[in-house]
């Protein structure tokens, strides 16, 4: 009922299998790599089965990586330059650190001086308050004394007027 199937091993022989593959690679610019691949093959499996693939073209563009060529002299120059830059930066850092340290000492000295001045100012304020209290006490005592002296002064004035009148009478 079904036809006899031949095995694939019997059908494919080295004479009947032919294949051609060609690959072309071209590099265009330093930033891009272009690869073109063209393939084609002919496969004869059996006289009535024929596979033909004439050509398959594929083009791939990949950015190329440019790797610099480093020599010992070049690397030595780079390390020497980096060391010199580090030394310069180290000098700058030490100068700035010294300057900041000097500023810090000046700030500490100024803080101590301000603290001492604040203490003296508080003493002066306290002394001024004490003097104001003493002055107000003296003003009250002066007012009290004035109030006591006013009657005496008026009495003396009256007595002086009386004596003046008597002296005028005696002289006349």
């Amino acid at each position: 009922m079904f036809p006899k199937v031949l095995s694939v091993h019997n059908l494919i022989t080295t004479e009947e299998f032919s294949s051609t593959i060609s690959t072309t690679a071209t590099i265009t610019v330093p930033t891009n790599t272009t690869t073109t691949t063209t393939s084609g093959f002919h496969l004869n499996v059996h006289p009535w089965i024929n596979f033909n693939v004439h050509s398959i073209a594929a083009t791939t563009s990949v950015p190329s990586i440019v790797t610099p060529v480093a020599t010992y002299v070049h690397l030595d120059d780079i390390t020497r330059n980096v060391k010199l830059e580090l030394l310069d930066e180290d000098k700058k850092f030490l100068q700035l650190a010294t300057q900041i340290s000097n500023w810090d000492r000046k700030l500490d000295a100024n803080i101590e001086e301000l603290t001492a001045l604040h203490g003296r100012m508080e003493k002066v304020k306290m002394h001024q308050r004490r003097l104001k209290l003493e002055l107000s006490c003296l003003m009250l005592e002066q007012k009290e004394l004035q109030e006591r002296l006013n009657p005496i002064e008026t009495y003396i004035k009256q007595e002086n007027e009386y004596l003046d009148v008597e002296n005028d009478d005696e002289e006349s």
Side-chain angles (χ1 to χ4, degrees):
M1 175 167 167
F2 294 108
K4 184 177 174 185
V5 178
L6 299 174
S7 69
V8 177
H9 180 59
N10 292 335
L11 291 176
I12 299 175
T13 62
T14 56
E15 294 173 359
E16 294 175 342
F17 182 74
S18 67
S19 153
T20 57
I21 297 175
S22 65
T23 303
T24 308
T26 58
I27 298 174
T28 55
V29 277
T31 57
N32 287 327
T33 301
T34 304
T35 304
T36 305
T37 306
T38 306
S39 302
F41 63 91
H42 178 72
L43 180 61
N44 287 325
V45 178
H46 199 275
W48 66 83
I49 301 174
N50 194 4
F51 290 108
N52 281 324
V53 178
H54 295 288
S55 71
I56 298 173
T59 302
T60 308
S61 179
V62 178
S64 68
I65 300 171
V66 179
T67 56
V69 177
T71 62
Y72 178 76
V73 175
H74 182 69
L75 290 175
D76 193 39
D77 287 340
I78 291 173
T79 55
R80 188 178 307 115
N81 289 338
V82 168
K83 283 180 183 179
L84 289 174
E85 287 177 12
L86 274 174
L87 287 174
D88 288 342
E89 292 297 320
D90 189 41
K91 285 179 186 177
K92 288 177 187 177
F93 176 78
L94 289 176
Q95 288 172 347
L96 289 175
T98 303
Q99 190 176 16
I100 289 171
S101 179
N102 290 337
W103 290 343
D104 191 41
R105 275 189 247 118
K106 285 180 183 178
L107 282 173
D108 287 342
N110 287 341
I111 287 172
E112 288 176 13
E113 189 175 336
L114 284 173
T115 303
L117 286 173
H118 181 72
R120 286 189 221 157
M121 188 180 72
E122 289 299 319
K123 285 181 183 178
V124 167
K125 282 182 179 179
M126 192 170 56
H127 186 66
Q128 188 177 11
R129 277 189 232 122
R130 187 179 56 81
L131 285 175
K132 279 185 179 180
L133 283 174
E134 286 179 9
L135 180 64
S136 65
C137 286
L138 286 174
M139 296 287 278
L140 282 175
E141 287 176 359
Q142 183 182 4
K143 185 177 178 183
E144 203 174 288
L145 184 62
Q146 190 67 35
E147 287 175 1
R148 287 185 183 175
L149 284 177
N150 280 341
I152 295 173
E153 285 178 352
T154 50
Y155 176 75
I156 290 177
K157 280 185 185 177
Q158 286 176 357
E159 283 298 315
N160 277 340
E161 286 178 4
Y162 180 71
L163 287 177
D164 281 338
V165 171
E166 278 186 13
N167 279 339
D168 281 342
D169 284 342
E170 286 180 7
E171 287 180 7
S172 15

